[in-house]
Structure formats: C-alpha cells, structure tokens
Amino acid sequence: MAEGKKQIDASTEEKIISAAKKIFTQKGYEGAKVRDIAAEADIHVSQVNYYFRSKEKLFEVIMTDNIDNLFDKISPVLMDEHTTLNDKIKLAAGLYIDMLLENPAFPRFIVNEVLSGTNKIPAIAAKQDFIRKSHFAKQVLAIKAEGKIDYHPFQILLNLISLIVFPFLGKTLFDKTVQSKDGFRQMMEERKRLIPIWIDSMIAA
C-alpha cells in the first residue's frame, strides 16, 4: 500500500512540475499564480503547497533541476584538459542544442526572469565560478595572452551562447514562417556543425 501511495505522490509531483514549467514560461515568476499552476495540473491548490510549500520553492526546484542537468552534461566537456578549444566548442554546442531541443521553452524562461530583475535564479549564480575556473576558460584566456585575438576573450563565450540560444527565443516565429513540423529541429541539427566553424573563424581571423 505504501508503494502505491509513493507512485501516486510521484505522479502528482510530476504533474505539478510540468504545469509549473508551462505557467512560469508563459507568465514569468511574478505573473504566475499558484492557482494557475494548480488549474493547469488539474489538482487543488493545497496539493501544490503540500508538495512544494511555496511558489518560490517550486520555481527554484525547476530552475535548479534544469541548470544542473545542463551543467552535468557540459561540465566534463569544459573541464577536460585533453581536448582542444575547438573540440570543446563542438561538444558543448551539440550537448546544449540537444538539451534545448528537449526543453525549447527554457531559454525564454531564463531571459524573462533575467529581464524582470527578480533575482530568482540562484542556480545560475552558483555556476559562475565553475565557468571562470574551467579549462575552457583557461584556453580562451591563453588565446588572448598569445595575441591571437585583439578583443575581450569573453566575446567567444557570448557568441557561442548567442548562436545556440537565439534561435530558440525566435522558435515561435520560425514555426509560423516555415510551417514545417521538423524544420526547426533540422536547422538546429545543422547548427551543431556550423557553430564550431563560425567560432573557429572568429578565433582564426
């Protein structure tokens, strides 16, 4: 009996998280209400509070889970001391694109919160030191030190992230314009090959 209850609890929790992702993406943290999440999950408001205690806690759980999933995949790539910078860019672009194809609303979710200034994304701040101390960062700084680039090395990371994320921010417009079920995915699969070429040309210029 206890096992059956556990399965029901897990199912309810998953429904709440799925509904919350949708509502937070649509309305942002400030605009989302617990009752909206409960209605989307087709459960009572008290159940949302029972499982997650507050809207803030639910938001943090979702954000931490998404960001941790990304960094769990990206970390071994960025920390690898035996791969070239170009290899890291290829692997990171592929992993990041795959992750966003599974969670296409995630970039808009992040951008909405950053622009709102709510400071409700502690998981991102917690990863900043990791990026600065990664082997990837050391390789980028080395390029600058060797005189191979005449701009701030952070531009490389900004371009990499922008080239990956921006298409997802415009996905709705793309889908309406192209009107192809698999068109967006095909474009993003192609970008796995193109992004490392573009970044490499930026470094070699």
Side-chain angles (χ1 to χ4, degrees):
M1 184 67 118
E3 185 177 348
K5 183 178 186 301
K6 185 176 180 181
Q7 291 176 350
I8 293 173
D9 289 348
S11 174
T12 302
E13 186 172 315
E14 288 169 4
K15 284 172 64 177
I16 294 170
I17 290 175
S18 177
K21 285 180 179 179
K22 181 175 180 180
I23 298 300
F24 281 135
T25 299
Q26 290 176 345
K27 301 186 177 184
Y29 176 81
E30 294 297 339
K33 305 298 181 187
V34 173
R35 63 175 176 271
D36 298 330
I37 296 169
E40 180 66 29
D42 195 24
I43 60 174
H44 194 273
V45 171
S46 62
Q47 288 181 282
V48 178
N49 293 326
Y50 172 77
Y51 283 99
F52 294 98
R53 298 196 300 279
S54 68
K55 182 180 76 168
E56 181 175 17
K57 180 64 177 177
L58 176 54
F59 184 83
E60 289 181 4
V61 166
I62 293 170
M63 292 306 305
T64 300
D65 183 59
N66 279 325
I67 292 169
D68 283 349
N69 284 340
L70 173 61
F71 274 86
D72 284 347
K73 294 176 181 178
I74 295 293
S75 295
V77 173
L78 300 186
M79 295 302 293
D80 191 346
E81 298 182 4
H82 304 290
T83 55
T84 65
L85 179 59
N86 189 259
D87 286 339
K88 285 182 174 63
I89 291 169
K90 287 179 183 177
L91 291 168
L95 288 170
Y96 203 171
I97 287 172
D98 284 342
M99 182 264 193
L100 294 184
L101 283 172
E102 295 301 316
N103 302 273
F106 182 60
R108 185 156 57 93
F109 190 18
I110 291 286
V111 169
N112 285 344
E113 292 313 307
V114 170
L115 291 177
S116 72
T118 58
N119 195 29
K120 294 293 182 183
I121 317 179
I124 291 180
K127 303 297 183 181
Q128 290 177 350
D129 279 345
F130 159 77
I131 295 174
R132 283 195 293 265
K133 295 175 181 178
S134 70
H135 192 257
F136 171 84
K138 292 177 182 177
Q139 288 175 305
V140 171
L141 290 172
I143 291 175
K144 175 67 173 178
E146 293 166 6
K148 292 182 179 179
I149 58 175
D150 61 356
Y151 49 82
H152 196 294
F154 192 60
Q155 295 285 1
I156 295 173
L157 182 60
L158 283 177
N159 270 12
L160 176 60
I161 295 173
S162 300
L163 288 167
I164 294 170
V165 172
F166 185 78
F168 287 91
L169 296 177
K171 184 178 182 300
T172 302
L173 178 61
F174 177 90
D175 289 342
K176 289 180 180 179
T177 303
V178 178
Q179 295 183 340
S180 170
K181 180 181 178 181
D182 298 319
F184 183 80
R185 176 174 286 275
Q186 291 170 357
M187 289 279 286
M188 295 311 298
E189 290 291 340
E190 189 173 32
R191 287 179 83 80
K192 291 181 185 179
R193 176 179 62 85
L194 293 173
I195 288 173
I197 294 174
W198 294 333
I199 297 295
D200 188 53
S201 66
M202 174 187 176
I203 296 172

